[in-house]
């Protein structure tokens, strides 16, 4: 049974949230909009600590669930840092967005939520966003000495280096990426549907080379002669005596006489 009024995932609606957020945040709030059932608050980067404190203490968004990064290469402030908050008392979620670039740091919110320590390190590792005042801003997902930030849109899918364990040096070594596979360029066209390139190995076959010979047809066999029909006998054959059938005489007494 389905009800069109239900949404998934289910959450409570806070009708007065936009006005309450505007009144509480004031000039810190740049824009507020509703998207996919959640309110997204775009705030000034320099006020992120004050904004989070107000949302936690005045509007009852007690938990920081996640910090994510987004890369928009065409923008001057190409990165967005997205904070996902949850109100346990209201059963309601919101997102807080701030914009920045490669050189401008975002104030850390580890003083508001200590869990932001590792979450900010993930955003730094994946996108290169700096967090001012972070107690231990270093990579957390990639290896030491890793070059670049993997989730930037301009980061190559193959990366810059690859690592392996060297038996000679008895340690992990880094080497430039070597694309050993032949099929690295995908044009999403089937070679059986008119592709104008030659697959490896097909150059050995000539386009004019004749195929296998057609097998000779089997010799024709003469038609079988028709079978003459035999008429049935005029009088059916029957047995003349019980001896011919193997049947004995009746013995009602059962003494064999």
């Amino acid at each position: 049974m389905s009800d069109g009024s239900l949404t998934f995932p289910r959450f409570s609606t806070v009708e007065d949230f936009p006005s309450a957020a505007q009144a509480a945040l004031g000039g810190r709030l740049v824009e507020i909009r509703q998207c996919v059932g959640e309110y997204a608050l775009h705030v000034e980067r320099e006020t992120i600590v004050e904004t989070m404190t107000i949302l936690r203490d005045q509007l009852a968004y007690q938990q920081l669930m996640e910090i994510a990064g987004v890369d928009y290469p065409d923008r001057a402030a190409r990165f967005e840092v997205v904070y996902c908050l949850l109100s346990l008392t209201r059963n309601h979620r919101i997102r807080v967005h701030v914009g920045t670039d490669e050189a401008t740091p975002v104030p850390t919110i580890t003083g508001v939520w200590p869990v932001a320590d590792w979450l900010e390190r993930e955003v730094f590792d994946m996108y290169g966003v700096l967090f001012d005042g972070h107690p231990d801003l270093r990579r957390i997902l990639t290896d030491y000495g890793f070059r670049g930030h993997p989730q930037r849109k301009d980061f190559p899918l193959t990366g810059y280096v690859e690592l392996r364990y060297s038996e000679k040096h008895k340690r992990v070594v880094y080497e430039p990426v070597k694309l050993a596979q032949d099929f690295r360029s995908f044009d999403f066209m089937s070679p059986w549907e008119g592709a104008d390139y030659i697959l490896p190995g097909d150059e050995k076959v000539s386009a004019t080379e004749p195929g296998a010979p057609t097998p000779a047809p089997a010799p024709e066999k003469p038609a079988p002669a028709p079978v003459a029909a035999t008429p049935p006998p005029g009088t059916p054959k029957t047995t003349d005596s019980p001896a011919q059938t193997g049947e004995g005489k009746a013995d009602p007494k059962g003494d064999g006489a």
Side-chain angles (χ1 to χ4, degrees):
M1 179 178 179
S2 61
D3 187 352
S5 63
L6 298 180
T7 57
F8 183 82
R10 299 181 64 179
F11 56 87
S12 299
T13 58
V14 181
E15 301 296 340
D16 59 341
F17 176 78
S19 58
Q22 182 68 60
L25 298 177
R28 305 176 185 88
L29 183 62
V30 176
E31 179 189 8
I32 182 171
R33 56 188 176 86
Q34 190 174 16
C35 181
V36 197
E38 294 183 1
Y39 286 103
L41 286 71
H42 294 256
V43 302
E44 296 289 349
R45 179 180 60 253
E46 298 80 5
T47 66
I48 185 61
V49 177
E50 300 174 6
T51 298
M52 291 301 184
T53 304
I54 293 173
L55 292 174
R56 183 193 64 182
D57 299 342
Q58 298 184 24
L59 299 183
Y61 287 89
Q62 301 93 348
Q63 286 195 356
L64 171 66
M65 305 303 296
E66 180 62 272
I67 301 178
V70 188
D71 184 14
Y72 299 98
D74 297 334
R75 298 181 182 178
R78 62 180 291 184
F79 301 114
E80 273 193 4
V81 182
V82 184
Y83 304 84
C84 302
L85 306 184
L86 169 66
S87 173
L88 297 175
T89 54
R90 296 184 175 189
N91 186 26
H92 192 251
R93 297 175 183 266
I94 61 173
R95 302 191 309 273
V96 181
H97 298 242
V98 297
T100 187
D101 54 25
E102 301 180 20
T104 306
V106 178
T108 182
I109 62 168
T110 52
V112 183
W113 284 290
V115 70
D117 187 334
W118 281 19
L119 300 178
E120 290 178 349
R121 285 177 59 187
E122 289 181 3
V123 176
F124 163 71
D125 194 359
M126 295 291 102
Y127 295 92
V129 176
L130 302 175
F131 291 91
D132 186 25
H134 192 283
D136 186 22
L137 190 61
R138 56 192 172 93
R139 293 185 181 271
I140 189 173
L141 298 178
T142 58
D143 200 2
Y144 297 103
F146 187 87
R147 177 186 172 189
H149 303 279
Q151 290 194 353
R152 288 188 178 184
K153 295 292 181 61
D154 52 6
F155 187 85
L157 296 180
T158 55
Y160 296 104
V161 296
E162 58 186 2
L163 60 88
R164 65 177 179 86
Y165 181 79
S166 173
E167 289 290 346
K168 178 180 179 181
H169 299 90
K170 301 300 181 182
R171 62 181 177 85
V172 174
V173 296
Y174 289 86
E175 297 175 343
V177 173
K178 298 178 181 178
L179 304 182
Q181 299 182 15
D182 295 331
F183 303 98
R184 285 290 189 175
S185 298
F186 298 97
D187 56 6
F188 301 102
M189 179 181 291
S190 171
W192 294 276
E193 296 179 356
D196 55 359
Y197 57 84
I198 300 177
L199 294 176
D202 286 356
E203 68 278 0
K204 302 176 183 178
V205 181
S206 174
T208 60
E209 183 177 350
T214 303
E220 296 183 0
K221 295 182 179 180
V227 178
T230 304
T235 303
K237 181 174 178 57
T238 58
T239 54
D240 297 329
S241 64
Q244 293 178 326
T245 63
E247 181 182 1
K249 296 181 181 180
D251 186 11
K253 295 183 180 182
D255 54 2

